[in-house]
């Protein structure tokens, strides 16, 4: 067709072949004179697809114009010829956020169509009608341009710590479905595809993750954990000092109230030396109690835990986390809902006084690397 030049047709056929379509028997089933004809036909698992190809420099053009044109043509065509429809968009620039927007557009307006986005011969994403998720394998495995590589830097952010935990504990528990790429990580962690892809790309660039056909995303745990240890201290969080409202209230009563509250809602979490008791690996005799709180309301904390604020340094510290997403989501990997997960415990203990370094070493040995 005049709308698509030979070069674009050849590119589309190469990509379709890589995606698993049978392009070896492409022939027309349409009589001359028909007003609606596809660019060509392909086969996938016994299903015939009428292919409609559109080209644009940017995905914005696809989303605003070409999506509707292709959908209209294909919906009319498959109704007339009783076959599947495959919309193909060849673009110069696009990222995973663009892919997500296109997927949402098809789900909303044309769920009966399949689609394919091609950025180059080795970088494409597609979704077949009825599939649960978009196939981003080739998109994620493609080699990014230099400008894209420069954008993928480790920032040691809240969500990066959370993705580290998800990847580590998912692989450690050997759940049977290894995380193979950034797309699967985004699903497991509940983060955007762009967030997961940027972190995985940065980790690959720094050689902190490798891709293995069997193991999936294979994480260099010890080295990356040590990088976090070098970037983070408990003092990076906002810490408020408290004391018991009455001399009759001791550490056991405070922790008992915390445990009772945590059965109803995730409101307070124990970390630091006190949390090691719950994992039965306590090494230090430190008296400090570090408690993550999801509220900064002093009155609420006083009512819940029988504590009052102190103007001086005390052994009871209420902590407002610098990394709340990782702290609270990480409860799913904890021994129980009242304490932080093992990775967080290691990070929180490492720089604490009263043998925090030694305690962190035991956490590594007993909780983190014990099955490796």
């Amino acid at each position: 067709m005049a709308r698509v030049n030979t070069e674009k047709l050849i590119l589309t056929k190469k990509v379709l072949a890589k995606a698993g379509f049978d392009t070896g028997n492409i022939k027309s089933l349409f009589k001359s004179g028909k007003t609606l004809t596809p660019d060509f036909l392909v086969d996938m698992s016994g299903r015939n697809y009428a292919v409609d190809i559109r080209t644009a420099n940017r995905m914005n053009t696809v989303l605003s114009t070409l999506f509707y044109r292709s959908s209209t043509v294909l919906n009319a065509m498959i109704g007339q010829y009783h076959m599947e429809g495959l919309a193909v968009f060849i673009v110069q620039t696009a990222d995973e956020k663009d892919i997500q927007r296109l997927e949402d557009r098809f789900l909303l307006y044309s769920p009966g169509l399949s689609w394919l986005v091609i950025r180059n011969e080795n970088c494409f994403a597609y979704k077949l009608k009825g599939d649960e998720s978009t196939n981003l394998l080739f998109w994620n495995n493609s080699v990014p341009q230099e400008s894209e590589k420069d954008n993928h830097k480790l920032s040691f952010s809240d969500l990066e710590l959370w993705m580290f935990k998800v990847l580590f504990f998912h692989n450690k528990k050997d759940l049977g479905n290894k995380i193979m790429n950034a797309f699967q990580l985004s699903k497991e962690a509940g983060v955007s595809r762009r967030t997961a892809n940027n972190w995985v790309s940065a980790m690959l660039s720094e050689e902190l993750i490798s891709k293995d056909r069997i193991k999936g995303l294979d994480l260099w745990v010890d080295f990356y954990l040590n990088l976090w240890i070098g970037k983070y201290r408990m003092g990076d969080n906002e810490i408020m000092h408290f004391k018991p409202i009455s001399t009759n209230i001791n550490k056991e009563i405070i922790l008992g109230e915390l445990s009772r509250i945590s059965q109803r809602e995730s409101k307070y979490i124990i970390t630091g030396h006190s949390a090691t008791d719950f994992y039965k690996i306590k090494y230090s005799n430190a008296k400090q109690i570090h408690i993550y709180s999801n509220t900064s309301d002093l009155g609420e904390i006083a009512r819940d835990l029988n504590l009052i604020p102190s103007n001086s340094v005390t052994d009871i510290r209420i902590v407002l986390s610098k990394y709340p997403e990782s702290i609270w989501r990480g409860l799913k990997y904890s021994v129980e809902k009242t304490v932080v997960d093992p990775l967080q415990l290691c990070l929180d203990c490492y720089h604490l006084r009263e043998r925090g370094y030694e305690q962190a070493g035991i956490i590594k040995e007993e909780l983190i690397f014990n099955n490796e």
Side-chain angles (χ1 to χ4, degrees):
M1 297 175 65
R3 179 165 48 80
V4 183
N5 62 35
T6 302
E7 180 183 353
K8 301 298 183 185
L9 284 172
I10 293 173
L11 171 62
T12 302
K13 292 174 183 178
K14 285 183 177 180
V15 170
L16 286 170
K18 287 186 176 182
F21 287 85
D22 181 6
T23 61
N25 187 26
I26 301 172
K27 57 184 179 181
S28 176
L29 299 179
F30 306 92
K31 298 178 180 179
S32 60
K34 293 288 185 180
T35 56
L36 293 176
T37 57
D39 291 303
F40 55 82
L41 303 176
V42 292
D43 178 89
M44 168 74 91
S45 301
R47 291 184 175 183
N48 288 318
Y49 289 83
V51 179
D52 181 76
I53 304 173
R54 308 281 170 162
T55 63
N57 289 328
R58 301 183 306 154
M59 279 291 289
N60 283 343
T61 303
V62 172
L63 293 165
S64 63
T65 306
L66 299 185
F67 162 79
Y68 298 101
R69 292 179 181 174
S70 186
S71 296
T72 300
V73 169
L74 284 173
N75 280 319
M77 198 180 300
I78 63 179
Q80 183 175 357
Y81 295 107
H82 306 292
M83 60 176 54
E84 306 290 344
L86 176 64
V88 176
F89 303 105
I90 303 174
V91 296
Q92 296 296 316
T93 60
D95 56 28
E96 286 194 38
K97 185 176 180 180
D98 293 324
I99 301 299
Q100 179 64 60
R101 292 166 65 196
L102 182 65
E103 179 178 4
D104 294 341
R105 192 68 55 89
F106 269 99
L107 287 173
L108 184 61
Y109 295 108
S110 293
L113 296 179
S114 301
W115 53 267
L116 166 71
V117 176
I118 302 173
R119 199 170 72 184
N120 58 56
E121 184 177 337
N122 296 310
C123 184
F124 58 90
Y126 66 92
K127 183 172 184 178
L128 301 181
K129 184 187 75 171
D131 281 5
E132 292 184 1
S133 59
T134 302
N135 191 318
L136 284 163
L137 175 63
F138 289 93
W139 196 276
N140 289 331
N141 286 345
S142 63
V143 179
Q145 301 298 318
E146 288 300 320
S147 60
E148 292 178 318
K149 284 184 178 180
D150 293 340
N151 292 330
H152 299 153
K153 302 294 183 182
L154 294 176
S155 60
F156 296 93
S157 65
D158 193 356
L159 289 181
E160 286 190 2
L161 179 54
W162 168 235
M163 288 185 288
F164 170 39
K165 291 180 180 181
V166 171
L167 188 56
F168 170 73
F169 287 111
H170 189 90
N171 289 346
K172 182 181 177 68
K173 291 184 177 181
D174 194 16
L175 300 180
N177 53 332
K178 296 293 186 182
I179 296 178
M180 304 302 295
N181 52 45
F183 173 64
Q184 289 180 333
L185 177 60
S186 73
K187 292 290 188 181
E188 293 290 339
V191 301
S192 72
R193 295 175 185 176
R194 171 175 285 185
T195 297
N197 190 58
N198 286 348
W199 183 68
V200 170
S201 296
M203 293 286 282
L204 287 169
S205 177
E206 297 293 332
E207 297 185 349
L208 296 170
I209 282 180
S210 61
K211 283 188 175 181
D212 186 276
R213 195 163 52 88
I214 298 175
K215 294 181 180 180
L217 295 180
D218 195 17
L219 178 66
W220 191 353
V221 179
D222 194 27
F223 192 76
Y224 188 59
L225 180 61
N226 286 335
L227 288 178
W228 264 100
I229 287 172
K231 297 282 185 178
Y232 168 77
R233 285 167 170 75
M234 176 61 79
D236 294 342
N237 304 292
E238 182 181 347
I239 298 178
M240 301 180 290
H241 294 270
F242 283 74
K243 60 185 179 180
I245 200 169
S246 166
T247 56
N248 295 325
I249 297 174
N250 57 27
K251 174 181 177 180
E252 285 68 30
I253 292 175
I254 294 170
L255 296 183
E257 285 298 303
L258 185 152
S259 179
R260 180 181 59 80
I261 292 170
S262 70
Q263 301 307 312
R264 303 194 313 268
E265 58 182 320
S266 295
K267 200 171 185 180
Y268 303 104
I269 314 174
I270 305 167
T271 189
H273 291 302
S274 294
T276 60
D277 268 336
F278 290 83
Y279 285 98
K280 303 185 186 310
I281 54 168
K282 188 171 179 61
Y283 177 79
S284 170
N285 292 322
K287 298 178 181 179
Q288 293 89 4
I289 305 174
H290 291 86
I291 302 172
Y292 282 113
S293 171
N294 67 6
T295 177
S296 59
D297 187 325
L298 300 183
E300 188 174 359
I301 294 170
R303 291 190 299 272
D304 286 341
L305 302 178
N306 297 309
L307 301 173
I308 55 175
S310 173
N311 293 324
S312 59
V313 175
T314 66
D315 287 336
I316 303 174
R317 290 96 188 266
I318 299 295
V319 184
L320 302 180
S321 177
K322 180 181 179 180
Y323 305 109
E325 291 288 337
S326 178
I327 295 295
W328 298 97
R329 291 194 195 188
L331 280 176
K332 68 185 293 185
Y333 303 119
S334 174
V335 67
E336 58 180 86
K337 293 194 294 184
T338 55
V339 295
V340 294
D341 63 85
L343 283 178
Q344 191 64 48
L345 185 59
C346 180
L347 291 172
D348 288 344
C349 283
Y350 192 91
H351 295 289
L352 291 180
R353 300 177 63 183
E354 299 194 41
R355 298 194 163 181
Y357 172 82
E358 291 92 335
Q359 180 68 76
I362 293 174
I363 295 168
K364 284 184 178 182
E365 181 180 347
E366 297 295 328
L367 302 180
I368 296 176
F369 301 117
N370 60 331
N371 290 332
E372 295 191 356

